[in-house]
Amino acid sequence: MSRTAGETAGEAPGTAGPQPATTPGTAGPQPAPAPAGAPGRRLSAVLQGVVIALGLVLMVGGFGVVAVGYRPYSVPTDSMEPTVRPGDIVLARTSDGKDVGRGDVVVFRDSGWGGALMVKRVVAVGGDTIVCCDARQRIAVDGTAIDEPYLAHGYNAGKFSVRIPQGRLFLMGDNRLGSLDSRVHLDQASGTVPASDVVGRVEGTAWPMARMGGIDRTAAFDAVRGPGAASAHGPLVPAALVSAAGALLVLVTAAVGPAAELLRRLRRRAR
């Protein structure tokens, strides 16, 4: 039988040309293999999400501790320089005055002093006797002369001797030459104010940023015997550091992914 046009030796009738070879047991084309490194990128994305979540927990948790336990107050005058300055925003731990001790910086409001919020330092508590001053112009509490390293000029003006009634406080500013404090109110309850007038113990400065940080507990009165020592600070500084660390962790981790992807693209282009 003669071949028809278009047929060639070895071709089966009815076919248009050679058929592609297939591997026995396969049904057709196979899916493309996953790109190299895909499992590693997936693991990296999971780890990135975990770290960001941890950072958010730290940031929100630390901020929550500060927000619940502390209140901001603006310093109105220069009477507490150099510890705090006019216009500073300080953070004070909420207090009813019962936990206040000698050397604590407090926010208080006393009607006999005008009723405005003020910031001063406690220098004597109920039961103490405070005397001003010795030859070096230092105050003495229960016979113990006090060296106060935080004073603006290291100077105490005036002469007085006061026995502090129980439940009351004697308050002075660190800027002794520019502070209207218990010394100018000696005709009103010997210059003392009720401990219950205290609304907070100052533990740090929140603003301006250049002065942001904790206010250290002073050891100036530790040699005075009896109750009334300066209070231990609360969690303000640790909580603030934890919150800041959490925020930094979130920012750095969020930037790692895009940075790594950009680096991979630059490497591919360089090949």
Side-chain angles (χ1 to χ4, degrees):
M1 180 181 298
S2 62
R3 299 179 185 272
T4 61
E7 290 183 351
T8 58
E11 292 179 349
T15 62
Q19 302 298 307
T22 58
T23 304
T26 61
Q30 301 299 303
R41 285 197 291 272
R42 284 196 295 270
L43 177 60
S44 176
V46 171
L47 292 176
Q48 185 180 23
V50 170
V51 174
I52 289 177
L54 175 61
L56 288 172
V57 169
L58 294 175
M59 180 176 67
V60 174
F63 180 81
V65 169
V66 175
V68 170
Y70 293 84
R71 294 291 180 271
Y73 297 94
S74 177
V75 178
T77 71
D78 62 356
S79 68
M80 277 297 293
E81 285 188 332
T83 304
V84 292
R85 299 175 182 174
D88 283 2
I89 304 299
V90 297
L91 292 176
R93 192 176 190 186
T94 303
S95 171
D96 59 4
K98 295 179 181 179
D99 57 350
V100 168
R102 305 178 200 93
D104 287 343
V105 178
V106 299
V107 180
F108 70 102
R109 187 197 305 272
D110 184 73
S111 58
W113 290 24
L117 283 172
M118 299 184 184
V119 180
K120 304 291 183 187
R121 189 182 295 272
V122 177
V123 294
V125 299
D128 292 345
T129 297
I130 182 171
V131 176
C132 182
C133 294
D134 66 7
R136 294 169 54 188
Q137 297 178 328
R138 297 176 300 176
I139 60 172
V141 178
D142 287 350
T144 301
I146 308 298
D147 290 305
E148 300 178 271
Y150 42 75
L151 295 186
H153 304 289
Y155 179 80
N156 289 289
K159 296 285 185 180
F160 58 84
S161 177
V162 176
R163 174 77 173 181
I164 315 301
Q166 291 294 337
R168 301 184 74 87
L169 306 170
F170 200 91
L171 304 161
M172 297 172 72
D174 289 354
N175 180 10
R176 298 287 159 85
L177 293 180
S179 176
L180 300 178
D181 48 40
S182 288
R183 296 169 298 169
V184 301
H185 294 282
L186 292 174
D187 59 338
Q188 302 175 27
S190 299
T192 65
V193 301
S196 57
D197 284 352
V198 172
V199 297
R201 289 188 291 111
V202 177
E203 294 187 5
T205 302
W207 190 261
M209 188 172 294
R211 292 173 48 75
M212 187 181 297
I215 296 175
D216 294 335
R217 174 195 180 277
T218 182
F221 296 84
D222 285 357
V224 180
R225 296 181 179 180
S231 305
H233 278 5
L236 173 63
V237 173
L241 290 175
V242 166
S243 184
L248 182 62
L249 189 62
V250 169
L251 292 174
V252 171
T253 306
V256 166
E261 181 62 26
L262 177 62
L263 184 60
R264 282 193 294 268
R265 290 180 180 181
L266 291 175
R267 285 178 176 175
R268 285 197 297 267
R269 290 179 182 180
R271 291 175 182 173

